[in-house]
Amino acid sequence: MEPRAPAHGSLTRAIFRQIVVAIVGTALVFVAAPFFAFRAVKAAARDGDAHALAQLVDYPAVRQGLRPQVAAIPVTAPAPPDIWTDPIGAVRRAIEPLTPAPPAVEPYLSASGLYDLTRGFAPGKAPPEAGSAFPRLRYWDPNRARFAAAPRGAKASEQAVIFTFERRELFTWKLVQIHLPDAP
C-alpha cells in the first residue's frame, strides 16, 4: 500500500490560514504602532537618547503647540531691580525694551522633561522613583492617536498630560503635540 499524497484541499486551507494570520498580524501591528511609539519616546527620554528622540518627536510642531500653554502658566517674577540695591540692573531695565520674553518651552522638550511628562508630571517635578501608570488611549484613528499619561493615584483626568501622535508612514508615528494639564 502506497502512502497517500496530501489532498489539494488541505494545502489550500493551510495557505489560506497563513494569509489570514498575516493579515490579522499586520492589522494588529498597525493598530498598536502608536502605543509602541509612545513607549519608544518614553524609553529614549529616560535614557537621554537625543538621536532617537529626534526621530520620534516633531520638535517644531510640539514647540509651537507648547508656547501658548507655557505662556498661560503663571510665573512668579522676581521684583524689579531697585536703584538703591541694584543701580546697574535698574538702569538696564529702564533701557531695554518692554517686550515680554518668549515662553521657555525648552525644559519641556529636554530628555528629562519629556520623561517627566510621559509619567504625568511637570518637568523637574517628578519624584525620583515615581512609577507611572499605563498610558490610556484617548483617541485613535488611522492617522492620529492620543494618549493620556497621569501620575499614579491621580483622580481627575484633568491632571493628565495628553500626547498626540501622527502617522508619517505606514508604521511610523511621530509625537506632534503635547497638551499640558490645566493649571489648578
Side-chain angles (χ1 to χ4, degrees), residues 31-164:
V31 169
F35 175 74
F36 291 123
F38 178 85
R39 300 291 293 175
V41 166
K42 185 175 182 178
R46 179 194 64 223
D47 298 338
D49 189 352
H51 181 68
L53 286 172
Q55 293 177 346
L56 296 166
V57 178
D58 184 355
Y59 281 107
V62 173
R63 190 173 281 116
Q64 181 180 5
L66 277 174
R67 276 194 186 112
Q69 297 177 67
V70 172
I73 296 174
V75 177
T76 57
D82 185 13
I83 192 75
W84 300 110
T85 58
D86 184 10
I88 296 174
V91 171
R92 183 181 303 131
R93 187 172 195 287
I95 295 173
E96 68 185 16
L98 294 176
T99 58
V105 297
E106 296 312 314
Y108 293 88
L109 297 177
S110 67
S112 62
L114 280 171
Y115 183 56
D116 288 347
L117 288 172
T118 60
R119 296 184 300 155
F121 294 97
K125 305 288 187 200
E129 293 299 320
S132 60
F134 198 71
R136 294 181 313 246
L137 182 67
R138 297 284 291 266
Y139 176 79
W140 187 92
D141 75 20
N143 295 317
R144 190 171 289 260
R146 286 195 179 98
F147 292 96
R152 273 185 204 231
K155 304 228 187 286
S157 64
E158 293 87 28
Q159 295 176 342
V161 179
I162 308 295
F163 295 87
T164 303

